[in-house]
């Protein structure tokens, strides 16, 4: 259900929501928070779709604010989405024009769910200080996405300088699976300290920088970043210890990574790319400060060394693992797994047919013959 309210007011929107609640039912009672989405007109529909997907795990009221042309008269156009058009939430899309663009906070406040947390999300173009933004100041959680910007390095430094408890970024959520696999690898013998680490990733991947910052702060060792010019996202992590190396590599556009550890057999591990909706749902799961993200951004990342050589040069020098070799390893492991399954099927002995049904039939015939003779 989509209801358009052109040239309206926040009071009219609130009254319409109350009437819909009376007609449709108490749809607001199960909402656990208010998610305020701040985006441009061109990005608002995509952002609402992502928020709808995330709302299946966290039912909420989504208030999407789209800033239009700042010229002309102040005008507020609204749209209410319910049911199948709103996922597990109720959506209010606000389009601001004229002088009203500078007063998004005043427009949003009357539409917040009472006595519930507020989360602010900027899908693109985050403010320099989310906590001091008019909308961000009233939110317990403030979510940005540096991956949508061109100059990730300066933006990360700006976010680090203005960090306030409750700030987070979707680029941080995208490294969750990488962090888990690396922590699991270090939780096995030999329990030796890591002497150095190298993270390889695309030039436009802030997740690469944040993962390197996390490793630096947690391992207290030199960590460097190597860039790739023609790939995307995080590509590999190499951890060096006295006994050998640990290589975790995910080839381009792959959903499987290889783990190569000295003294251990090579393994293929599921490492899927996470969608924006999954990452947003993760960030909505907690409303307290993320101290681990804070340490990675403000303490670890400034200590990371940004290497000038490219990934191709680093691979040629043997300083980072080769993605093409990882792809070949995956194919070899998959081939071995298929051969093992085929061999197991051939060697499996067919089950012997039970002789019980025949024996039961013979016994039944004997009893019937005895009865016929007795009669």
């Amino acid at each position: 259900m989509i209801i358009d309210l052109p040239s309206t007011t926040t009071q009219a929107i609130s009254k319409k929501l109350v009437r819909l609640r009376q007609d449709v039912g108490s749809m607001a009672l199960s909402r656990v928070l208010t998610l305020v989405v701040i985006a441009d007109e061109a990005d608002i529909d995509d952002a609402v779709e992502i928020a709808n997907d995330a709302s299946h795990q966290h039912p909420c009221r989504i208030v999407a604010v789209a800033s239009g042309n700042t010229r002309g008269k102040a005008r507020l156009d609204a749209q209410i989405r319910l049911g199948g058009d709103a996922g597990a939430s109720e959506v209010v899309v606000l389009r601001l024009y004229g002088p009203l663009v500078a007063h998004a906070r005043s427009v949003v406040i009357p539409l917040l769910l009472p006595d519930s947390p507020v989360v602010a999300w900027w899908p693109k173009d985050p403010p320099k200080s989310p906590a001091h933004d008019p909308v961000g100041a009233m939110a317990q959680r403030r979510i940005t996405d540096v991956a949508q910007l061109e100059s990730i390095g300066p933006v990360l430094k700006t976010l680090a300088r203005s960090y306030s408890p409750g700030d987070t970024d979707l680029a941080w959520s995208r490294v969750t699976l990488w962090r888990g696999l690396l922590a699991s690898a270090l939780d096995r013998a030999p329990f030796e300290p890591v002497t150095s680490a190298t993270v390889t990733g695309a030039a436009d991947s802030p997740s690469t920088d944040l993962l390197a910052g996390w490793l630096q702060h947690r391992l207290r060792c030199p960590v460097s970043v190597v860039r790739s010019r023609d790939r995307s996202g995080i590509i590999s992590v190499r951890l060096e210890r006295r006994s050998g190396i640990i290589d975790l590599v995910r080839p381009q556009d792959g959903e499987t990574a290889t783990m190569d550890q000295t003294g251990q057999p090579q393994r293929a591990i599921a490492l899927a790319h996470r969608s924006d909706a999954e990452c947003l749902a993760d960030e909505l799961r907690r409303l307290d400060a993320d101290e681990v993200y804070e340490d990675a951004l403000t303490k670890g990342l400034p200590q990371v060394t940004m290497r000038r050589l490219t990934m191709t040069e680093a691979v040629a020098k043997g300083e980072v693992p080769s993605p093409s070799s990882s792809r070949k390893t995956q194919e070899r492991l998959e081939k071995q797994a298929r051969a093992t399954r085929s061999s197991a099927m051939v060697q499996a002995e067919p089950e012997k047919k039970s002789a019980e049904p025949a024996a039961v039939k013979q016994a039944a015939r004997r009893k019937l013959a005895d009865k016929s003779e007795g009669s």
Side-chain angles (χ1 to χ4, degrees):
M1 179 189 300
I2 298 179
I3 301 170
D4 292 316
L5 300 173
S7 299
T8 186
T9 63
T10 55
Q11 184 179 16
I13 298 171
S14 298
K15 289 183 178 180
K16 186 64 175 179
L17 286 171
V18 172
R19 287 197 295 270
L20 288 171
R21 190 176 305 141
Q22 293 173 348
D23 296 338
V24 178
S26 300
M27 57 188 175
L29 296 181
S30 61
R31 310 306 182 213
V32 297
L33 56 88
T34 302
L35 175 61
V36 183
V37 184
I38 306 97
D40 293 334
E41 178 66 32
D43 305 318
I44 197 66
D45 288 333
D46 291 339
V48 169
E49 184 176 353
I50 293 171
N52 281 344
D53 291 342
S55 71
H56 289 288
Q57 297 186 39
H58 308 280
C60 59
R61 172 178 287 180
I62 300 173
V63 180
V65 182
S67 299
N69 196 333
T70 57
R71 298 179 180 180
K73 290 178 57 178
R75 189 174 91 248
L76 170 62
D77 293 344
Q79 187 180 76
I80 300 175
R81 304 179 186 180
L82 302 172
D85 296 295
S89 61
E90 54 184 1
V91 180
V92 181
V93 181
L94 307 175
R95 290 179 168 85
L96 313 183
Y97 301 95
L100 198 60
V101 172
H103 301 280
R105 175 189 173 101
S106 300
V107 177
V108 167
I109 287 178
L111 301 175
L112 301 178
L113 291 176
D115 302 323
S116 63
V118 177
V119 179
W121 174 38
W122 293 267
K124 292 184 178 180
D125 300 324
K128 293 183 178 180
S129 177
H132 294 90
D133 180 83
V135 175
M138 63 183 181
Q140 287 77 29
R141 192 79 163 164
R142 295 166 292 276
I143 306 172
T144 55
D145 193 358
V146 181
Q148 303 299 326
L149 307 177
E150 293 183 359
S151 303
I152 62 171
V155 176
L156 284 174
K157 291 179 180 178
T158 301
L159 292 177
R161 287 194 298 268
S162 64
Y163 176 83
S164 182
D167 292 354
T168 189
D169 195 277
L170 293 188
W172 174 245
S173 304
R174 295 185 184 105
V175 306
T176 299
L177 299 179
W178 286 85
R179 291 166 51 206
L181 291 175
L182 293 171
S184 176
L186 293 175
D187 201 28
R188 297 188 181 94
F191 303 101
E192 298 175 342
V194 176
T195 56
S196 66
T198 304
V199 183
T200 307
D204 59 350
S205 171
S207 297
T208 300
D209 295 14
L210 292 173
L211 180 59
W214 174 71
L215 288 171
Q216 201 286 327
H217 185 264
R218 290 294 167 180
L219 300 178
R220 306 292 183 181
C221 69
V223 179
S224 59
V225 170
V226 174
R227 298 294 188 187
S228 172
R229 296 175 180 175
D230 58 351
R231 294 176 180 264
S232 61
I234 304 173
I235 300 169
S236 68
V237 177
R238 168 167 287 185
L239 305 179
E240 298 186 23
R241 299 187 294 185
R242 185 175 58 184
S243 61
I245 62 173
I246 300 175
D247 283 340
L248 179 61
V249 190
R250 180 173 64 186
Q252 177 75 355
D253 299 328
E255 299 294 319
T256 305
T258 57
M259 176 76 77
D260 193 354
Q261 185 173 353
T262 302
Q264 300 286 340
Q266 292 178 320
R267 293 177 291 157
I269 304 173
L271 184 56
H273 292 267
R274 309 193 76 201
S275 67
D276 290 344
E278 288 179 290
C279 295
L280 180 60
D282 272 1
E283 295 302 337
L284 296 179
R285 186 168 291 114
R286 57 178 300 174
L287 298 174
D288 57 329
D290 190 342
E291 295 87 356
V292 181
Y293 168 71
E294 177 187 3
D295 292 338
L297 177 67
T298 63
K299 299 177 182 178
L301 186 54
Q303 306 299 322
V304 173
T305 301
M306 301 296 171
R307 303 285 299 276
R308 291 185 179 274
L309 79 169
T310 64
M311 184 190 73
T312 303
E313 296 169 342
V315 169
K317 292 182 178 181
E319 297 182 6
V320 299
S322 169
S324 59
S325 298
S326 174
R327 174 72 71 182
K328 293 178 181 177
T329 300
Q330 283 186 20
E331 294 173 354
R332 176 175 57 81
L333 293 175
E334 290 174 0
K335 185 176 181 180
Q336 290 177 353
R338 288 194 299 267
T340 301
R341 289 194 296 267
S342 300
S343 176
M345 293 175 64
V346 170
Q347 294 178 2
E349 295 182 359
E351 294 183 0
K352 295 181 179 179
K353 294 183 178 180
S354 174
E356 290 183 0
V360 171
K361 290 180 180 179
Q362 290 180 359
R365 292 194 191 98
R366 286 197 298 270
K367 288 185 178 181
L368 290 174
D370 294 341
K371 285 184 179 180
S372 59
E373 290 177 0
S375 61

